Amino acid sequence: MSAPTAQGQARQILDMNAYRPGNGQSRPVERRLANLGAASVLFYRQPIEMVGAEGAWMIAKDGTRYLDFYNNVPSVGHSHPKVVEAVSRQIAQLNTNTRYIVSVVDDYLEALKALLPPELSNVMMTCSGSEANDLAIRVARAATGGTGIIVTETAYHGNTALVTEVSPSALKRGSLPEKVIAIPPPGAAHFGEDIAGGFRASVEAALAEFGRRGIRPAAFLADSIFSSDGILADPPGFLAPAVEAVRAAGGLFIADEVQPGFGRTGDAFWGYARHGVTPDIVTMGKPMGNGFPMAAMVARPDHLEQFCADVGYFNTFGGNPVAAAAGHAVLDVICEEGLQENARETGAHLLAGLRQVAAGDARVTDVRGAGLFIGVDLADEAGRPDPAFTVQVIDAMRAHNVLIGAAGRYGATLKVRPPLCLTREEAERFIEAFRAALAG
Ligand SMILES: Cc1ncc(COP(=O)(O)O)c(C=O)c1O
């Protein structure tokens, strides 16, 4: 089923636009390699040293200002003054764990829950999306008594031992464990016009395979914008039949909102809401604290009960008052500055502009997305996904002061994901840089 590429191979997520150590690296790069060793991951063939950031811009040590289109963390804008102020005020006053009552924490959780389905009324706070997904899988397994997990082919859900097992795009070698089945991503490349029907059939095939293996399903875990699968947003609603199928087999649906959550898709505050489904469990992270490390898993009380009866839960840093202050400020800024609406409007403008560029260049084979989350497929002359050309475009965009990354099975999809405060002028700037990068 896989599309042929100019370079054949599927790409591992950390491989995309990655620096490769060689001879003659600069002193700061040498230092980093010495400090992080084999675990070092840097962007770009010539890594950039950053010293500051504001709004949608990052500032390098040499004074260059880069328009940041590869950042789903400082989502309301780098160093947003309201978040900075909230964090500074709270850390100067009190920071402690959730075994004390601190009203800032409950104020925040109530504000967050007001944005979620009412039945998902219990929140487990963590420090990373990985921890949140790890918990979600454990809660789903405890609640259902099943163990099987269905994910998509190029999914990434984090870095703990458990979530690495459900993140095919993280594996450099080896295969998924028996309890995990990866299905094709919900795009036209696999399912043609009937994405909803094809995707549901894939989930059903995975469930049947679990049956043959003697494994009961626990959950279907999906990033509801399918970001590492190459950003697959349309048609809204395609997720619903797949969710129905997993529930009919006794499994839960876990919506991983680490990427699409907090207004990014423009149409809705959460990615799953575009599909008209109510998840059993929701996980979130990245933009939640605009850079303050915080994440969460939200579940129904009855689903949480079995897990907490078995092991219970405590997290030293998760859900501390400083995280709550950061998270609350983020929600306020999204609302006060109309950032979800901006994602919808500026995102539509950006999408239209990129489609215009695509109309004039056969190497741009698709532009798709929702709000300020857009995927742009790049191909060679024969129409095959072209990761080498994608890296060339990424480097050329950098030369035009724009930061951008790649996604998808072959690393041949530009992942367009700027802060939600992006202005029309900045969107225009991106389109012009893309045009210039294609021109070589
Ligand atoms: C969809 C998705 N889920 C989970 C994670 C893991 O989050 P974290 O890096 O905060 O552990 C990521 C990180 O990129 C992600 O993209």
Side-chain angles (χ1 to χ4, degrees):
M1 288 267 248
S2 308
T5 62
Q7 297 196 337
Q9 292 245 346
R11 288 297 175 97
Q12 195 249 353
I13 195 164
L14 293 178
D15 210 24
M16 296 183 196
N17 189 29
Y19 170 73
R20 299 206 190 296
N23 291 328
Q25 48 242 2
S26 67
R27 176 73 192 120
V29 172
E30 251 173 42
R31 261 178 94 194
R32 175 57 65 86
L33 295 179
N35 287 328
L36 268 63
S40 166
V41 186
L42 288 165
F43 283 139
Y44 293 104
R45 289 185 279 194
Q46 303 285 331
I48 311 176
E49 184 170 353
M50 294 295 186
V51 293
E54 56 184 350
W57 295 85
M58 295 188 79
I59 302 137
K61 193 173 180 196
D62 65 4
T64 309
R65 286 171 63 84
Y66 291 99
L67 190 52
D68 183 8
F69 266 65
Y70 187 72
N71 219 322
N72 193 14
V73 176
S75 188
V76 301
H78 283 278
S79 314
H80 194 290
K82 187 149 185 169
V83 182
V84 171
E85 192 276 326
V87 166
S88 311
R89 183 169 22 88
Q90 188 59 48
I91 204 164
Q93 187 183 331
L94 171 68
N95 199 21
T96 184
N97 63 55
T98 47
R99 288 203 264 192
Y100 298 101
I101 292 175
V102 182
S103 62
V104 180
V105 173
D106 294 286
D107 289 347
Y108 171 60
L109 294 180
E110 283 159 13
L112 180 68
K113 287 196 322 180
L115 296 161
L116 285 153
E119 53 270 52
L120 302 184
S121 60
N122 288 169
V123 187
M124 293 165 92
M125 299 291 292
T126 66
C127 308
S128 70
S130 302
E131 280 178 275
N133 281 328
D134 191 297
L135 277 172
I137 292 171
R138 294 164 70 201
V139 167
R141 285 181 170 164
T144 61
T147 53
I149 307 288
I150 300 171
V151 292
T152 48
E153 200 174 82
T154 314
Y156 180 74
H157 295 291
N159 61 19
T160 69
L162 180 55
V163 291
T164 299
E165 288 188 348
V166 296
S167 298
S169 76
L171 297 181
K172 291 186 179 171
R173 59 170 80 120
S175 50
L176 298 175
E178 215 196 358
K179 290 176 185 150
V180 181
I181 293 181
I183 59 173
H190 286 279
F191 302 122
E193 303 245 302
D194 186 15
I195 292 175
F199 199 48
R200 180 192 176 113
S202 289
V203 166
E204 284 171 338
L207 291 165
E209 177 56 28
F210 276 142
R212 284 189 286 279
R213 295 181 189 178
I215 290 169
R216 279 170 55 204
F220 168 40
L221 167 61
D223 161 0
S224 61
I225 191 82
F226 299 90
S227 51
S228 54
D229 282 294
I231 301 129
L232 301 161
D234 288 326
F238 74 70
L239 205 46
V243 169
E244 220 174 79
V246 82
R247 285 202 178 123
L252 305 186
F253 170 51
I254 304 170
D256 180 339
E257 292 291 325
V258 167
Q259 294 280 359
F262 296 90
R264 176 159 292 278
T265 65
D267 296 334
F269 197 81
W270 306 106
Y272 65 77
R274 295 184 67 250
H275 292 285
V277 293
T278 301
D280 299 292
I281 298 178
V282 175
T283 59
M284 60 192 78
K286 284 195 196 285
M288 191 174 187
N290 208 51
F292 192 89
M294 62 185 297
M297 188 217 70
V298 186
R300 279 172 26 190
D302 56 324
H303 285 154
L304 214 54
E305 256 161 38
Q306 188 58 50
F307 173 78
C308 290
D310 292 343
V311 289
Y313 177 70
F314 170 67
N315 190 320
T316 300
F317 298 118
N320 67 55
V322 178
H328 215 143
V330 167
L331 296 183
D332 288 346
V333 173
I334 292 174
C335 176
E336 287 160 12
E337 298 185 10
L339 294 185
Q340 185 182 321
E341 293 71 29
N342 188 55
R344 186 171 57 239
E345 283 160 25
T346 309
H349 183 70
L350 184 59
L351 190 81
L354 291 171
R355 284 194 170 145
Q356 245 176 31
V357 177
D361 194 321
R363 295 169 302 172
V364 185
T365 49
D366 195 24
V367 178
R368 57 179 177 271
L372 282 170
F373 213 142
I374 298 172
V376 179
D377 287 346
L378 298 178
D380 63 11
E381 259 93 48
R384 296 173 301 184
D386 192 342
F389 175 49
T390 307
V391 172
Q392 262 178 44
V393 171
I394 288 172
D395 278 341
M397 298 283 282
R398 178 212 173 144
H400 288 92
N401 298 2
V402 175
L403 305 175
I404 179 89
R409 181 173 167 83
Y410 304 107
T413 302
L414 290 179
K415 186 156 65 171
V416 180
R417 202 182 43 174
L420 305 187
C421 57
L422 193 81
T423 63
R424 270 193 177 226
E425 293 68 38
E426 288 162 345
E428 294 288 347
R429 222 170 156 133
F430 178 83
I431 295 163
E432 282 325 304
F434 182 46
R435 211 187 286 280
L438 288 172

